[in-house]
Amino acid sequence: MEWLTPLTALYAAAATLPLLLLLYFLKLKRREQIISSTLLWKRAIQDLQVNAPFQKLRRNILLLLQLLMLLAILLALAGPILSLTTGPSRRFVLLIDRSASMSANDIEPTRLDAAKKQAGTFVESLRGKTFFSLKDESDQVMIIAFDDHAKVMCNFTSDKHQLHSTIEAITAGDGGSTLAEAIVVARAFAQSPGTEANNRSAETPAQLILFSDGRIRDVEQIAVGTGELIFNCIGKSQQNIAITAMQARRSYEDPDEISVFATIANYDTEETTCDVQLSINDNVQAIKAVTIPPQKTSDTGVAAQPGKVSIDFSLSHVDPGVLEVRQLQPDALACDDAAWAILSPPRKLTVLLVTAGNVVLESALKACPLAGLELCSPDEFEVMDFGTISVEQPYDVIVLDNHIPAQLPKCRYLVFGHPPEGIDVLVPEQLENQVIVDWRPRHPVLKYVNLMNLFAAKCFKITLPRDAETLAEFGQSPALALVRRKGSIFLLAGFDILQTNWPFEPSFILFCYNATAFLGTQAGQNQETNLQVGQPIIVEGLAPETPAEVSGPGFSGNEIKANAAGTIRFPGIDKVGVYGLKVPEQPLRLFAVNLLDSQESNIEPMREIILSGQAIQAQDNPISRSNLPLWPFLVGIALILALLEWLIYNSKVRI
Amino acid sequence: MNRIKTATHRRRLTELLDPDFMSRLDSLDLLSRKILKSKLQGERRSKRRGQSVEFADHRPYVAGDDLRFVDWNIYGRLEQLFLKLFLEEQDLTIHIVIDISASLSLGEPAKELFIKKLAAALGYVSLVNNNRLTISSFSEGVKGQLKNMRGRNYIGAMAEFLLTSDCEGPSHFDSSCRQLVAGRTGSGIMIVLSDFLFKEGLDTGLRRLISRQYDLYVIQVLSPEELAPEITGDLKLVDIEDDDTAEITISGALLKYYKRNITAYCNELKEFCARRGAAYVLANSADSVESLTLNYLRRIRLLR
């Protein structure tokens, strides 16, 4: 027997009991009636008193009944619970899946709500702190919500009220589901005594209880003891149509032309036809009907592949905008019905070449598709207003050819020769006769660039800071490196171009093209705008402590501040949609956050999850209470007492 | 002139009695269970020998007897003087006493109306039969009295007396009886109409009224509410006469005891009357005066 809300009942008792007694002892207001003579009535009253020895008691029996009734109601208010479980107290960790697939509405209202409800029932059935007992046999529960990351919602506690509010506070996310982190966290917490477990250490491992649809990505990385994990499977339908891939690209030849590619997947076992709608800035541009084949069930039944259809749109759009691809068929999961891409305006670069005179470089840059190429001598560069360059960014890329400027305005630099000072790059010595031994052909800068034949007669040995990226290496020194410092990006080539055979290689032109294009995309708007759920929004190159406002689906105006390095990092993305980041006096930066996760879109519930080869079956029945709330009985007793009182009252006044 | 006045008065009486009823009352007369003495010659037999047409006895003549009553036929046969004795016929004195204390004004229908109707009916019968009628009303003492009415001419006066006496004030039965007895002369019938719910003085008062000269009829009139109350709830009962209060919560037991009490009270009164040769009648104010008069009172031989 335990009490859920004993204090409430005590307060109510303190308020109501004296009130009832007061009411009873207040003088009854009697109706006056004039009669001929009180003679006979007085005699009758006397007779009544004389002939009824228990008159006092009978007068008070109504009060007694009322008191009993009130007592029953008060006890009901205290929430007594008859616990049917016995034994020592246990510890549980509730792992609640809040990934995208748990937002499916095949169970009303959503799977997550069903999971929360089950978790609530589970919490209800725990043994709480007994109010009037010395022995503490309360069960303790910890709650972890997980999608791609685990989040400890509440440490071990037996406070059911707190647990309930914690469960209520879990919101659906649009991320994937990885359980390993959650289990690691749960075990870590389970080993330390909980907040209330005075000196009780975790002599028994905590029981893990998982509420999920079974679509967990990293089952191979998890190993649990026998009986350590109890799995409650939530979900029943697998009917879902998802956009699992989407990309929008401007054509190289004609930047006004946009090609949009999307893959639509059908997870149902039947063929489906749905409309796919393309819109820019919420203006519908095109609708296509596609027929998607059903899910392919392989013989093993495990690796079922969804039916997929690719679809492409091409359209002409010059301005920037938000491009949305949406499938219009209603299905169980809503967050994968649409995907967004941010269209940047077609843009050409303006490049400043600072050189004392370098025909090779100049002609190579001229060959690149640039909006403008400006030339200036090192002396002219030194007298430029660096403040203006930092703030207004008139140049997308500055190419430094054998020049070490005294100051470095914030920009993107392609540096040939000695690296600039103040960016933590050291030049201990000069080297001779170096050849390239390795390079990263996958990096955008070195795409299609073959450095096999590059030979440098003289070069600088450079020592890079730890966070620099090395793109190509000579035998004794990095040849090409990417360094980010003070909001600027430096692409360093540690040699004078004229001391190498590079100008005679076709890869040099390609390198120039790639380097300016890459540095150009690193500028302002052209950073990564298409994110997946869980990836942070990162904006670099701002003044330190710059305030900004983030808005997104379901919220707006979240204040955020750049750190000392001028970087804004907004980690709180767990919903798909279009996010905007507004820095004062700068155009709004848009970010598209998409699910685009073929596995998460597969919402078919798994009745069995295999953790490192160990199969764990889902519980057959949803969690039910293992204890008995007593309040309905008490209310029943109160009702019976009320009835009894009515009967007695009636029999007393019956004529 | 006189006739017109009578007519208006008779109209007043019709406020209490309806003409149909009155015409049925015409054939009735009041009876006394005792043959009583009276002063005036009337229509009733008396114990006294006197002047009438009804023969009673003979007695020998003694000097000084009225020669008119000598039975000359016997003298012719026996040559002795005998005197014929006749039963004297006397008039009957009817004394109707009504209670007009405040308690009578209660009841549904009101006891007051019932009592006045009954008094009017009895009074009417008496007047019609040339009896001597006295009507008194009392509450804390005797409030009004119409004495020695005789004949139909007094019907109007009686009606007016009944209709103009309002029920108010407390009742003092004992002192009222003392006054009544003091003002009473001769013999006759005394009819007391009241609810007899007196807190004190009932026994002593009635004892005063009972005498050899007067044939006493006690008519207790109670309202249905008093006989079988139909009230519920928590009540504060207020006595209309002395503002005494009784706080009660109506319950089955209380009502049971009340009924037992009122029955006992009435029976006690009845027994008291029976032991002392008085007649007791219990009337419910909801009953009709007509049936009471025409049936019950005839059965107990108050009316003939």
Side-chain angles (χ1 to χ4, degrees), chain A residues 27-28 30-38 40-45 47-48 51 652-655, chain B residues 106 111 199 226 232 234-240 244-245 247-253 255 257 261:
Chain A
K27 204 158 169 59
L28 189 66
R30 290 170 186 274
R31 193 152 46 86
E32 277 198 11
Q33 180 146 359
I34 294 174
I35 54 161
S36 308
S37 176
T38 50
L40 293 168
W41 285 108
K42 289 217 156 156
R43 284 190 192 177
I45 292 167
D47 284 358
L48 196 67
N51 288 313
K652 271 179 83 172
V653 301
R654 199 190 308 133
I655 298 162
Chain B
L106 292 174
K111 293 182 281 184
K199 285 194 175 137
E226 284 156 352
T232 51
D234 299 308
L235 296 172
K236 184 177 172 187
L237 301 177
V238 181
D239 194 315
I240 192 171
D244 187 25
T245 58
E247 294 193 346
I248 56 162
T249 299
I250 298 293
S251 64
L255 286 179
Y257 284 116
N261 262 310

Side-chain angles (χ1 to χ4, degrees), chain A residues 179-310:
Chain A
L179 184 58
E181 188 182 326
I183 285 184
V184 167
V185 169
R187 283 178 181 153
F189 271 87
Q191 271 162 18
S192 70
T195 48
E196 292 169 18
N198 321 325
N199 48 6
R200 203 193 309 155
S201 65
E203 62 270 23
T204 50
Q207 175 84 59
L208 305 180
I209 297 174
L210 172 66
F211 297 92
S212 173
D213 52 8
R215 284 288 159 190
I216 291 163
R217 197 171 301 166
D218 55 350
V219 284
E220 289 305 319
Q221 299 169 26
I222 307 167
V224 293
T226 316
E228 187 184 358
L229 183 77
I230 293 174
F231 170 44
N232 288 285
C233 183
I234 291 155
K236 55 187 180 190
S237 164
Q238 60 179 88
Q239 180 259 326
N240 187 29
I241 298 169
I243 295 172
T244 55
M246 184 249 192
Q247 199 178 20
R249 265 211 307 254
R250 285 191 186 276
S251 160
Y252 284 117
E253 290 76 27
D254 182 0
D256 293 352
E257 284 295 318
I258 303 167
S259 304
V260 181
F261 306 97
T263 306
I264 319 276
N266 178 18
Y267 294 89
D268 207 349
T269 48
E270 285 167 21
E271 192 177 82
T272 316
T273 305
C274 71
D275 290 335
V276 179
Q277 164 191 297
L278 174 78
S279 52
I280 295 178
N281 295 336
D282 294 334
N283 296 322
V284 177
Q285 301 285 325
I287 291 182
K288 278 188 185 174
V290 291
T291 303
I292 319 169
Q295 173 173 295
K296 281 175 255 162
T297 39
S298 58
D299 295 335
T300 56
V302 178
Q305 287 295 314
K308 284 187 180 176
V309 157
S310 290

Side-chain angles (χ1 to χ4, degrees), chain A residues 38 66 102 141 156 270 332 354 386 440 486 548 590 606 613 629:
Chain A
T38 50
Q66 280 165 11
M102 292 296 280
V141 171
F156 283 109
E270 285 167 21
V354 183
F386 289 165
R440 289 171 59 188
K486 298 176 184 170
L590 290 171
M606 302 270 279

